Structures are given as C-alpha cells and as structure tokens.
Amino acid sequence: MSKPQLPTPITLAQIQEVVGGTIHGDSQTPISGLTSLGQADPQALSFITNDKMSKAAANLPVAALLVHRHLSDLAVPQIVVDNPMLAFARVAQTFFVRPQAPRGVAEQVTQGADVRIGADPSIWPFVTLGDRVTIGNRVTLYPGVFVGSDSTIGDDSVLYPNVVVREGCTLGARVIIHSGTVIGADGFGYVQHQGRHHKIPQLGGVVIEDDVELGANVTVDRATFGRTMVKRGTKVDNLVQIAHNVTVGEHCILVAQVGIAGSTTIGHHVMIGGQAGLSDHLTIGDQVMIAAKSGVNRSVESNQIVGGIPAMPREKALRVQGVIFQLPELKQLVRDLEQRVATLETRMKKTPGRIARTQAARSNKR
C-alpha cells in the first residue's frame, strides 16, 4: 500500500476537533497525508512521542506534528496532546480509512438451513455458512470464509479471506480475524492405551469476545468440554497457538509465535513476548509481563515481570543472562583451578613424611 494521501487536504483545525490538544502555529495548515519521521513529506502529518524523537525531526520537512509537549525550537506547526501516537491513530482512522459500502450477499455464497443474516452485510463469493449460523449487522466475510453450524458472528465483525470458524463457536462484536486463522479446531487431546493414541472427542466450543483482533494463521482450539475463551479487547499477533480450554483475559497482548498449552488461565492486561511458551494448567495473574522466548512452566502471580528458560523474575533472569556471556572465561577459570589443585595434590603425595612430622610437632607443642 502506498503512502496514505487525501484527494482534498484537511486543516490542522479539523484534526484538533478529532484529537483535542493545543495548536501552536497556523491552524489552517493543509494536511494531505500521513508519514513517519523516517520519511519526509512536506504535505503530511507526523508525530513525536518523546524528546529523543524530536532530534530526528529537526531537519525533516513535514507539514505538522502531533507532539507530547510544545517544541519551540521546531518551526513546524504542532498540536500538543497527551498521547501523540494515539492521536495519530485516531487521525488515520477518521480521515484516511475509507468506509466500505455494504455489498450484500453474493450469489455464490453457500448457505445451510435456518441461516440468519443481519442488516447491511458484505458477504463475498465462495463463503460457506453452515446450518443455524447467525450473522450480525454490518458483518464482512471475504472469499473463502467458512462458518460452521450453530456459530455466531457479532455486529461489525470482519473475517478476511480463508478464515475458518468451526461449528459451535461464538464471535462478539467488532471482532477482526485475519487470513488463515482457524477457530474451533479440535483440541490436542489423546489417551494412550497399549501403545496407541486414542482420540478424546473435543465437544466444547470457542468464545471470542468483543473487540478482539486475531492475526494471520492463529489457531484457537475448541475445548474438550466447556469453552476456550479470548476475552474482550485482547489483541493476538500472527502464528499464535491457543490450546483447548485456555482462557485469555481482557486486553491482553500476545505477540507472534506464542504457544499456550491446554487449560492455562491468563489474567487481564497480560503481555506475552514473541515465541514465549506456556505450559498447561497454569494460572498467570493480572498485568504480568512475560519476555520473548520465555519458557513458563509454573504459575505467575499478578504484577510480575518474568523471563528466561525456565521463566524467573526479571532481575534474576538478567543476572543469569549476564553469567551466560561469561561462560567461556568461567570455563577457563575452572580448568586453571583444576590444574592448580592437581599440582597441590601431587606435591602432597610426594612429601607424606614431612606432613606427618609437621603434624606431630604441632601436637607436642600443645
């Protein structure tokens, strides 16, 4: 996608109406695009979140800036707001995201029995809807989407091409699911008997609450019994695995390639870094931060920061990491000490009489 541009410029005053804040400079400055500080564009709006970024903007031609405080040394017009990045996102959403007119239901859609579709849908060709599927208002389903029987898609949700929602799953309102994601695949449940793995039927479902976004190729497995749940406001990056009977709390962040094993419960506002792995049947408290590549094999209390393999408190993990970088020197030190001890032992074996006489002399003095 090319750099976002408007056919008709807007003014800084119009932007202030959306984001609030205080204007410093010409309120009628025209804005026709958005840009980052790394790309010059004299007609575009950019943003600065801290003083370090302000140095990069000193010689960069942009039309105006959203800033965290007034930067008097910059001649460019500015709007001072509490959170420039959030303000920038609101500007992009308000002025640069084009609303799509409803397309209706394409002729090439396959529908089962008793399907209910809400007002103003956009259901593209080659979508499949099973029996008793309920689609809310203003839902967009792109080509290749499959929604299994007895599933529900809430209002204003968007499912991109080739998303699969298996039978008996529920998606809330304003849910966004990116391409290739599978919701409601069978959980990985088997029982071993006489050397063979026997499948345990996965009879539960999946609930995705309001305002959840799942990236591309995410898998959320159905519960064995009950439900696997991703609660409202949580954002999940690409290639994340959420196993059967897991509960992910409200407003969590799961970065790419995170894996969460079955029946683990995660609190609200938890942040899990990329490629972290969580074992099964754990409880992760509220507002926990788990560093990238961590291996979590024990439950974590609320408000903790952990990292490492196995995961441990951040301060200890940093010390362990520091020692790892010194291992070659420590290995050489151990070798040197081993040689010194061996030399001393050899000397002691060669002079046993002298040692005995010394010990006897000490005893006589006592």
Side-chain angles (χ1 to χ4, degrees):
M1 183 180 292
S2 60
K3 188 182 297 184
Q5 295 287 331
L6 294 174
T8 303
I10 57 177
T11 66
L12 210 57
Q14 289 176 281
I15 291 174
Q16 185 195 32
E17 291 178 2
V18 173
V19 302
T22 304
I23 294 179
H24 294 267
D26 185 2
S27 64
Q28 298 306 305
T29 299
I31 304 293
S32 59
L34 300 175
T35 189
S36 65
L37 284 182
Q39 295 179 315
D41 186 339
Q43 282 80 47
L45 176 75
S46 190
F47 66 95
I48 292 174
T49 59
N50 54 57
D51 291 339
K52 184 178 180 180
M53 291 180 66
S54 66
K55 297 178 181 178
N59 300 314
L60 188 69
V62 292
L65 289 168
L66 297 166
V67 295
H68 61 297
R69 65 177 181 85
H70 181 220
L71 303 172
S72 57
D73 54 334
L74 298 181
V76 64
Q78 303 164 31
I79 300 180
V80 179
V81 292
D82 291 335
N83 190 331
M85 187 176 291
L86 176 61
F88 191 78
R90 287 176 174 168
V91 172
Q93 183 66 45
T94 302
F95 297 107
F96 292 86
V97 176
R98 298 177 183 177
Q100 301 291 328
R103 295 176 57 94
V105 180
E107 292 183 2
Q108 299 89 341
V109 171
T110 300
Q111 298 187 44
D114 300 319
V115 172
R116 293 184 293 175
I117 299 175
D120 300 325
S122 294
I123 303 181
W124 291 61
F126 311 117
V127 168
T128 300
L129 304 177
D131 297 337
R132 299 172 298 281
V133 165
T134 299
I135 304 295
N137 299 323
R138 300 172 299 279
V139 168
T140 299
L141 305 178
Y142 283 96
V145 168
F146 174 90
V147 182
S149 297
D150 301 300
S151 289
T152 298
I153 311 296
D155 295 345
D156 300 296
S157 292
V158 178
L159 277 60
Y160 285 100
N162 300 318
V163 167
V164 173
V165 179
R166 287 267 304 272
E167 64 278 2
C169 297
T170 300
L171 276 62
R174 300 172 300 280
V175 170
I176 301 173
I177 312 293
H178 291 273
S179 296
T181 286
V182 178
I183 298 172
D186 284 359
F188 194 68
Y190 299 88
V191 58
Q192 191 179 66
H193 178 65
Q194 296 182 347
R196 297 183 61 187
H197 302 288
H198 299 269
K199 186 177 181 65
I200 300 172
Q202 304 294 294
L203 304 177
V206 175
V207 174
I208 309 293
E209 292 190 344
D210 297 348
D211 301 303
V212 168
E213 183 165 359
L214 303 180
N217 297 315
V218 171
T219 52
V220 185
D221 292 347
R222 68 174 55 251
T224 306
F225 304 106
R227 57 191 180 179
T228 303
M229 177 173 287
V230 181
K231 293 188 176 181
R232 67 180 185 275
T234 284
K235 313 300 181 185
V236 179
D237 199 359
N238 303 334
L239 298 167
V240 169
Q241 155 69 1
I242 299 174
H244 59 88
N245 293 94
V246 166
T247 296
V248 180
E250 297 90 346
H251 305 292
C252 292
I253 292 287
L254 277 59
V255 183
Q257 298 184 349
V258 163
I260 305 172
S263 300
T264 284
T265 298
I266 296 173
H268 64 76
H269 292 90
V270 172
M271 301 182 70
I272 305 179
Q275 296 187 332
L278 281 67
S279 187
D280 58 293
H281 293 85
L282 301 182
T283 298
I284 308 300
D286 300 332
Q287 297 179 312
V288 167
M289 299 179 68
I290 299 174
K293 291 183 175 291
S294 296
V296 184
N297 60 0
R298 297 181 181 180
S299 295
V300 180
E301 295 183 358
S302 296
N303 303 302
Q304 301 296 308
I305 303 175
V306 299
I309 304 174
M312 60 194 76
R314 178 174 178 269
E315 294 77 9
K316 185 176 181 179
L318 291 174
R319 293 198 299 269
V320 169
Q321 189 70 22
V323 170
I324 288 174
F325 291 120
Q326 299 174 16
L327 284 179
E329 292 81 3
L330 291 173
K331 181 179 180 181
Q332 186 59 49
L333 177 60
V334 170
R335 284 180 174 176
D336 293 343
L337 290 173
E338 285 177 340
Q339 291 177 356
R340 292 175 63 183
V341 169
T343 300
L344 290 172
E345 289 177 341
T346 301
R347 291 177 180 176
M348 291 175 67
K349 289 178 181 179
K350 290 181 179 180
T351 58
R354 181 182 299 176
I355 295 173
R357 289 193 296 272
T358 302
Q359 291 177 342
R362 290 178 178 173
S363 299
N364 292 333
K365 288 182 179 179
R366 294 176 184 172

